[in-house]
Amino acid sequence: MAIAFTKYHGLGNDFVLVDNRHQSDPCLTPQQAVKWCDRNFGIGADGVIFVLPGQQGTDYTMRIFNSDGSEPEMCGNGIRCLAKFIAELETADGTPAAPPKAYTIHTLAGTITPTLQPDGQVTVDMGEPRLLASEIPTTLVAADQRVISQALTVADQDWVVTAVSMGNPHCITFVDDVAAIDLAQLGPQFEYHPVFPERINTEFIEVVGRDYLKMRVWERGAGATLACGTGACAALVAAVLTERSDRTATVELPGGPLGIEWSAVDNRVYMTGPATRVFTGHMDEQ
Ligand code: ZDP
């Protein structure tokens, strides 16, 4: 039986969205998701995202499989796409709501709240960053349990890294020139480094100004992507912790810019960016 899907992207970080509201388990296996994500043998995407019924009082649940079939806790660009997709599904059901419309979404990283803005952008309350080494998780330890500007050797080079969890794990390194980084060579060596037992998303950041960061990312389970929402949030948190940036900044990714704020009032991170529908289709189950 063919399964309906809608393809979206957030700054070129692309996802296949599936309406899974009728049952609480994803209608695809991780192995099927790998095939759907394949850019030659499938639809092509960085991940497959399922809209499931809400849990614990939330409106909906999000689950995602990376293009390698692993399941991350959270996905920042993906949840913006999910909010737009839900608005479309609700409109088709005859219950449209005018923006600003907020949804509470249950994820493996807790409840995340995206809000549709009148201009079509989506702002997401990403929750509080988690900084303890045990929460990342990583075996790298600092005196106060946080991993801020710690030495780490990867690919026979000495790096200084900061680790932040946005529900999913991130390792941030500040560099002079992001364009000079050999992502394909370095990325996998960070991703599978033994100090990160759950593997790691890796962000290389060039500080252009106190309100402007440039980022390139190697994602756990997906490789080099054009954007990573949770990664942009983690990068801003790391830049603030290391006194490189203000609490509000633009993070420029290969696919375009995201607006990120780490609120001094509630300690939560707010991300604003686009989510774009590309096409709909039906996939033969394989
Ligand atoms: O944590 C992981 O395994 C990531 N690959 C999940 C996807 C993160 C994402 N790029 C984002 O925008 O946060 C979708």
Side-chain angles (χ1 to χ4, degrees), residues 27-83:
C27 63
L28 298 182
T29 63
Q31 293 73 25
Q32 286 174 308
V34 170
K35 288 185 182 160
W36 282 37
C37 287
D38 190 288
R39 295 188 187 281
N40 297 107
F41 294 94
I43 302 161
D46 294 325
V48 179
I49 294 176
F50 304 87
V51 185
L52 307 146
Q55 288 175 49
Q56 298 160 18
T58 60
D59 296 328
Y60 297 97
T61 296
M62 173 174 84
R63 293 207 27 208
I64 166 174
F65 294 136
N66 284 318
S67 53
D68 77 348
S70 59
E71 180 169 13
E73 302 81 353
M74 234 305 269
C75 175
N77 287 321
I79 205 160
R80 294 200 314 280
C81 296
L82 179 114

Side-chain angles (χ1 to χ4, degrees), residues 135-152:
E135 296 174 304
I136 305 298
T138 178
T139 54
L140 277 169
V141 188
D144 63 356
Q145 296 294 314
R146 303 189 301 178
V147 178
I148 301 173
S149 301
Q150 281 283 300
L152 177 65

